[in-house]
Amino acid sequence: MSAATPQIFVHEVGLRDGLQMEKQVVPTEQKIAWIEALLGSWVDILQLGSFVHPEKVPQMADSDQLFAHFSAPGRKPENMLLSGLVLNEKGLERGMACGVDMFCMGVSASETHSRKNTGMGIEEANKRIIAIAKSALAAGKRAQVSVQSAFGCGYEGPVPKERVVAIVKTFLDAGLRGLSLADTAGHATPGQVEDLFSRVRALDEGAEWTCHFHNTYGLALTNCYAAYRAGVRYFESSVAGLGGCPFTKVAGGNTCTEDLVHGLHRSGFRTDIQLSALVDVARDMARFFGRDMPGSVYKTGPIPELAAPSP
């Protein structure tokens, strides 16, 4: 990395991908406190929740309320986007009604994971997601479409890269250019990451590419660097390293936001992001859940001379 490289963007997904794995339901008031602190960290995109059935994922039952609260004038920085995950048309309708700025949705490259996650096969899910994303764009919203289980599946094992590339082509052919590859099972290796992102980026150099890694086997940060080498500039991560997919075979935490940001600071990037705010939230989450979180920097503290200046 060098100072002349393009901007790097951090998409914080802890309030959704982090909390969805927790059995202890977090009160809305506590979520609001964490969100307010995360807004003060100056990350670029903040995911507040997902629009799923509350009985299936109870932690997301207040997503509509959270978006309505924080999309009100003056409650978030003007240049920060609030993102939400949708699985179907009803989710899009709910998100449109409560102030979502950016809709995230995905298609699994694993038939087994797709059916466990959405109740649909890959082909059906792909058609529906493309239609939903186009509707979001037509309404003036941002849309990001993802290939989930892009690097392997806990149920099926290796996923053919040709299948991932084929799904990406359907997105691009539909005019969708906010794209993501997600390592839902945590199986990715750095070489695999660099190779697959290089392949799909060659299809459209102007598309915005995002990476999403789970730290199930300890390679999330290493895979972020591999994605950066392949030209990726958007990184999804979860404060405290919380999270994982409840519909994969072996669930593990996400790329840890404060660890990622600490690494960026050490490389001279995104020193405007307030690392101290992220560390404070991670420590408060550890207090709330009564256990150590997966992240490292919230325990050790950052290297002192790397403390970021106020924006």
Side-chain angles (χ1 to χ4, degrees):
M1 296 185 182
S2 70
T5 52
Q7 179 64 285
I8 292 170
F9 301 89
V10 176
H11 186 169
E12 165 60 46
V13 299
L15 273 298
R16 195 275 304 175
D17 201 0
L19 296 185
Q20 70 180 7
M21 286 293 294
E22 296 296 328
K23 293 181 180 180
Q24 182 181 352
V25 175
V26 180
T28 302
E29 295 75 16
Q30 178 63 77
K31 288 185 183 179
I32 288 174
W34 286 339
I35 293 168
E36 288 175 343
L38 291 169
L39 290 172
S41 72
W42 293 86
V43 294
D44 304 286
I45 309 170
L46 185 58
Q47 191 162 97
L48 301 190
S50 60
F51 298 94
V52 294
H53 198 289
E55 291 183 4
K56 196 169 185 180
V57 188
Q59 288 284 16
M60 300 295 107
D62 56 0
S63 291
D64 306 72
Q65 181 181 348
L66 292 174
F67 277 103
H69 178 84
F70 284 101
S71 63
R75 287 190 172 153
K76 71 176 182 72
E78 290 186 5
N79 61 341
M80 185 179 290
L81 297 174
L82 300 180
S83 75
L85 179 74
V86 296
L87 299 180
N88 51 39
E89 296 82 358
K90 178 63 176 178
L92 177 67
E93 181 181 327
R94 287 171 57 190
M96 294 291 292
C98 63
V100 175
D101 298 317
M102 175 178 173
F103 287 92
C104 299
M105 59 212 80
V107 176
S108 181
S110 158
E111 190 73 25
T112 305
H113 175 249
S114 179
R115 293 190 179 279
K116 287 181 176 292
N117 191 34
T118 67
M120 296 179 283
I122 295 173
E123 185 176 356
E124 180 186 359
N126 195 28
K127 291 178 180 177
R128 292 185 70 178
I129 288 302
I130 287 174
I132 293 168
K134 292 176 74 172
S135 295
L137 290 175
K141 302 293 185 177
R142 288 185 60 165
Q144 175 185 290
V145 287
S146 171
V147 183
Q148 301 159 349
S149 298
F151 301 94
C153 172
Y155 300 103
E156 297 182 4
V159 169
K161 60 185 67 176
E162 294 78 14
R163 188 186 301 166
V164 176
V165 172
I167 294 172
V168 168
K169 285 181 177 177
T170 66
F171 293 158
L172 292 170
D173 289 345
L176 306 174
R177 301 178 80 236
L179 307 168
S180 168
L181 298 184
D183 183 26
T184 311
H187 287 193
T189 63
Q192 184 185 15
V193 168
E194 195 163 351
D195 174 64
L196 190 53
F197 267 114
S198 295
R199 286 172 182 261
V200 294
R201 285 193 69 245
L203 301 175
D204 187 338
E205 293 287 349
E208 290 184 347
W209 285 99
T210 297
C211 61
H212 181 111
F213 297 112
H214 287 181
N215 201 40
T216 315
Y217 301 99
L219 289 176
L221 278 178
T222 305
N223 287 330
C224 283
Y225 181 65
Y228 176 86
R229 284 173 54 89
V232 176
R233 294 296 178 264
Y234 285 79
F235 297 84
E236 291 185 357
S237 57
S238 174
V239 67
L242 277 177
C245 176
F247 304 107
T248 192
K249 188 172 184 179
V250 180
N254 287 279
T255 302
C256 178
T257 305
E258 62 272 17
D259 293 356
L260 172 66
V261 170
H262 185 257
L264 292 174
H265 283 192
R266 293 199 65 188
S267 300
F269 292 103
R270 295 310 309 269
T271 54
D272 59 309
I273 296 179
Q274 299 298 287
L275 180 58
S276 60
L278 298 170
V279 169
D280 287 346
V281 173
R283 288 174 176 166
D284 198 50
M285 285 181 165
R287 175 201 59 78
F288 178 86
F289 289 112
R291 69 175 194 272
D292 283 344
M293 297 291 103
S296 298
V297 171
Y298 94 93
K299 302 170 189 171
T300 63
I303 298 175
E305 63 267 24
L306 297 181
S310 298

